[in-house]
Amino acid sequence: MRRLLIGLLLLLNCLALPAGASALPKLAAPPAPAVAPDPLGRETPRSTISGLIGALAEHDYDRAAQYFDQPVGSPRQRVTAAARARGFQSLLDNGGTLQPYALLSNEANGRIDDELPVDQEFVGQITVQGKKVPVLLARADDDGRQVWRVAAATVEQVAIATRRSSAADMEDDGLIVAGAPLKDWAMLVGLGVVIFGGLWMIALLVVAGARRLVSDPASNGLFRFLEAALPPASLLLAVGLFFTLAERLPVAIVARQTLLRYTGIVSVVALVWFGLRLVDAIAELAIARMQKRQRRQVVSVITLLRRTAKVLLLLFSGIGILDTFGIDVTTGIAALGIGGIALALGAQKTVENLVGSVTVIADRPAQVGDFVKVGDVLGTVEDVGIRSTRIRTGERTVVTIPNGDLSARQIENFAARDRFLFNPVIALDYRTPSGKLKEGIAIIREVLQGHDKIGEGARANLARITERAFNIEVHSYIEVRDFDTNVIVREELLLALVERLEAVGIKLAFPAQTIVFSPEESPAPVSLRKGDD
């Protein structure tokens, strides 16, 4: 019975399958075997030349021969290939050139914007029989991998030159350091020192001469530019001259290519140094001019742009230096998209403050130097930064408010006032007769209308009568923008009002209370007898 039930269940399961479906599951196709990376690192033109130079520096010509498109199967072929690798090094040492490390393509497909076929790459040139012959790389399949090697046409030219060269021409001379003669290293380093030292001295002389010719160096834009640009520009020019002259020196290709590779780091440093000094010079000149024109908000914008430009320059310089050391930064840059999401989740306040700083600078609710009130903080704005704004309080303390919070708060800017309200309440004594009261109101109006700092529409009216005084309310505006001037004018008005009222015998009210008793309610006089305390 149990077997019958199992059979029925299997039959129903088969009937439930759709037409054309197999009862047995299909086996998944085995994944394609992963291609192992090339052990010699010949995936890109840059890595091929770098690996070849490394093998030549170690005088490992058997390994260097594997970077050439030539057979190396038999022992005789390996010997021939090693000899050609050595001959190739000799050709490079004697007038041959290779492109600098930074100019070599680091893509698996090489450069596609040149006029060569897509599977060929130009990387330098050698001299064969007095003629310049290009050094080409060719891309081909090697055990399922696409690798770059020195093209067969270039290998053939190397073979021709090798047959005409004697073994003595290929011998290294002198002490070998890091794969090259010591004299070659000294020649290249000495060339760099002479070029940079000479240009540096010229830059210093030009700056010193310009300083004497300019009456006010601090505010002269041309002098500030020369002072900021000439030292790093001399270093940048020295790098360019070194690249040009080093290729013409009869030195070992290992020394030349190594120094040219790391000279690229010096060029990046020089370029960033030039950019940083130029940004500082332009920013300081612009800030000085904006301060003279009282455009304080522009100072905040210039400061923010200055810091942003510096951060970007340092970021790009770091990418360039990492690329020179052979570290692939494209993957890291591509990961910034995912990293940006994580950054937005983990640094929400930082992003909020950055957006808030843009809002503060764009809306300009407060400028550097303004007297403002933000919440319960009252003081003068000293700096509007990328992350926060600093306010100097009346007690000389500094309050730092994140720009994200600042942009969301109510900001009261006292420096933006075009005039000051003058509305004191003048209380006259309640015993003042009506005639004197009218005369006092007229005097107050005359004082207001007679002052040149009081705007039109000033008025003074009897506002209310209390049990102690007649309150005359003044409503007017002092037409000044400066707070200190407003204080002086306010004092002048109040003193004039007091003097004019006193001159006609009108007294100001003061807190007093008079109690009057009727004769029946008055207390009996108390007489003191002699001897009573």
Side-chain angles (χ1 to χ4, degrees):
M1 186 64 181
R2 182 177 180 182
R3 292 180 179 178
L4 179 60
L5 290 176
I6 295 175
L8 289 175
L9 290 175
L10 290 176
L11 179 62
L12 292 175
N13 187 28
C14 293
L15 293 176
L17 293 174
S22 175
L24 296 176
K26 294 182 178 180
L27 297 176
V35 179
D38 182 34
L40 298 176
R42 298 171 294 180
E43 290 87 356
T44 67
R46 180 184 293 182
S47 61
T48 297
I49 295 299
S50 180
L52 175 59
I53 294 298
L56 295 179
E58 298 175 4
H59 292 179
D60 188 352
Y61 297 108
D62 290 330
R63 178 160 60 93
Q66 300 183 55
Y67 289 88
F68 292 82
D69 188 4
Q70 58 184 343
V72 289
S74 64
R76 183 176 181 180
Q77 290 176 338
R78 287 195 293 271
V79 172
T80 302
R84 290 177 179 173
R86 183 179 179 85
F88 181 69
Q89 181 181 12
S90 178
L91 291 173
L92 291 176
D93 292 347
N94 294 277
T97 60
L98 290 176
Q99 286 189 334
Y101 183 81
L103 298 181
L104 295 172
S105 175
N106 199 30
E107 300 292 333
N109 295 327
R111 293 187 180 276
I112 59 176
D113 55 351
D114 52 14
E115 298 179 356
L116 295 174
V118 294
D119 59 345
Q120 290 186 4
E121 189 83 4
F122 174 80
V123 295
Q125 61 184 8
I126 55 177
T127 302
V128 179
Q129 298 180 355
K131 297 181 180 180
K132 297 292 184 180
V133 177
V135 177
L136 300 176
L137 298 183
R139 187 177 60 176
D141 182 80
D142 182 64
D143 293 336
R145 296 181 295 263
Q146 292 292 319
V147 298
W148 290 89
R149 292 176 292 196
V150 179
T154 302
V155 176
E156 183 179 352
Q157 294 294 328
V158 173
I160 295 174
T162 303
R163 286 196 296 268
R164 294 177 176 271
S165 301
S166 62
D169 296 335
M170 301 182 186
E171 290 295 330
D172 295 326
D173 54 345
L175 179 63
I176 302 300
V177 177
L182 179 61
K183 64 180 183 62
D184 292 350
W185 292 106
M187 188 181 302
L188 289 171
V189 173
L191 176 65
V193 171
V194 169
I195 293 176
F196 175 66
L199 292 176
W200 182 270
M201 291 301 298
I202 293 174
L204 292 180
L205 292 176
V206 171
V207 172
R211 188 186 300 275
R212 293 186 176 183
L213 296 175
V214 177
S215 58
D216 187 12
S219 59
N220 188 278
L222 180 59
F223 174 77
R224 297 296 297 272
F225 174 78
L226 290 176
E227 186 182 31
L230 281 181
S234 63
L235 179 58
L236 194 60
L237 182 59
V239 171
L241 288 176
F242 181 79
F243 267 88
T244 303
L245 298 178
E247 292 183 348
R248 300 180 181 180
L249 293 178
V251 295
I253 188 62
V254 173
R256 186 196 319 154
Q257 201 71 8
T258 301
L259 285 184
L260 289 180
R261 172 178 179 177
Y262 293 106
T263 303
I265 299 177
V266 180
S267 64
V268 172
V269 172
L271 187 60
V272 173
W273 185 21
F274 175 81
L276 292 176
R277 288 177 66 94
L278 189 61
V279 167
D280 284 336
I282 294 175
E284 290 174 2
L285 184 62
I287 288 174
R289 292 183 177 180
M290 292 302 104
Q291 287 177 344
K292 289 182 179 179
R293 300 177 184 178
Q294 298 297 321
R295 301 181 64 180
R296 294 169 294 181
Q297 183 61 35
V298 182
V299 174
S300 301
V301 178
I302 294 173
T303 303
L304 178 60
L305 293 178
R306 177 183 186 177
R307 295 172 181 172
T308 304
K310 285 187 173 183
V311 170
L312 291 178
L313 280 173
L314 294 175
L315 178 63
F316 287 128
S317 66
I319 293 175
I321 292 174
L322 290 177
D323 185 66
T324 302
F325 281 106
I327 301 175
D328 187 11
V329 296
T330 55
T331 305
I333 295 175
L336 289 178
I338 300 176
I341 299 176
L343 178 64
L345 294 176
Q348 294 182 5
K349 282 296 181 182
T350 303
V351 176
E352 179 184 350
N353 292 331
L354 181 60
V355 174
S357 65
V358 175
T359 303
V360 169
I361 292 177
D363 291 345
R364 296 186 295 179
Q367 306 179 34
V368 175
D370 286 354
F371 190 77
V372 298
K373 182 179 181 182
V374 182
D376 57 349
V377 178
L378 188 67
T380 304
V381 179
E382 284 198 344
D383 179 58
V384 179
I386 297 178
R387 193 197 71 85
S388 60
T389 297
R390 293 194 294 271
I391 298 177
R392 176 80 65 176
T393 65
E395 297 181 357
R396 309 310 298 162
T397 60
V398 176
V399 178
T400 302
I401 303 177
N403 287 330
D405 297 339
L406 184 68
S407 61
R409 291 188 183 184
Q410 180 178 352
I411 303 173
E412 185 176 0
N413 193 331
F414 296 96
R417 288 187 294 197
D418 56 349
R419 52 187 178 174
F420 289 82
L421 178 64
F422 180 68
N423 65 333
V425 176
I426 302 174
L428 301 183
D429 187 61
Y430 73 97
R431 291 170 292 189
T432 304
S434 60
K436 286 290 185 180
L437 182 59
K438 293 178 181 179
E439 183 180 359
I441 296 175
I443 289 173
I444 295 174
R445 291 172 180 171
E446 289 177 4
V447 172
L448 295 176
Q449 295 171 0
H451 202 287
D452 59 344
K453 297 299 183 181
I454 296 296
E456 296 182 0
R459 63 179 186 270
N461 302 95
L462 180 61
R464 62 184 60 86
I465 301 175
T466 66
E467 67 275 7
R468 298 181 181 178
F470 298 104
N471 290 336
I472 301 173
E473 184 176 343
V474 176
H475 189 278
S476 62
Y477 286 97
I478 301 175
E479 299 290 341
V480 295
R481 290 178 177 270
D482 185 61
F483 179 78
D484 294 335
T485 306
N486 161 68
V487 172
I488 295 174
V489 173
R490 186 181 296 269
E491 182 184 33
E492 292 176 356
L493 290 170
L494 293 175
L495 289 175
L497 289 174
V498 173
E499 291 174 357
R500 292 286 302 275
L501 292 174
E502 286 182 351
V504 296
I506 300 176
K507 297 180 180 181
L508 299 178
F510 59 90
Q513 186 175 7
T514 302
I515 301 176
V516 180
F517 295 95
S518 62
E520 294 80 6
E521 298 177 352
S522 59
V526 178
S527 61
L528 296 177
R529 292 178 299 177
K530 188 176 181 180
D532 292 341
D533 293 333

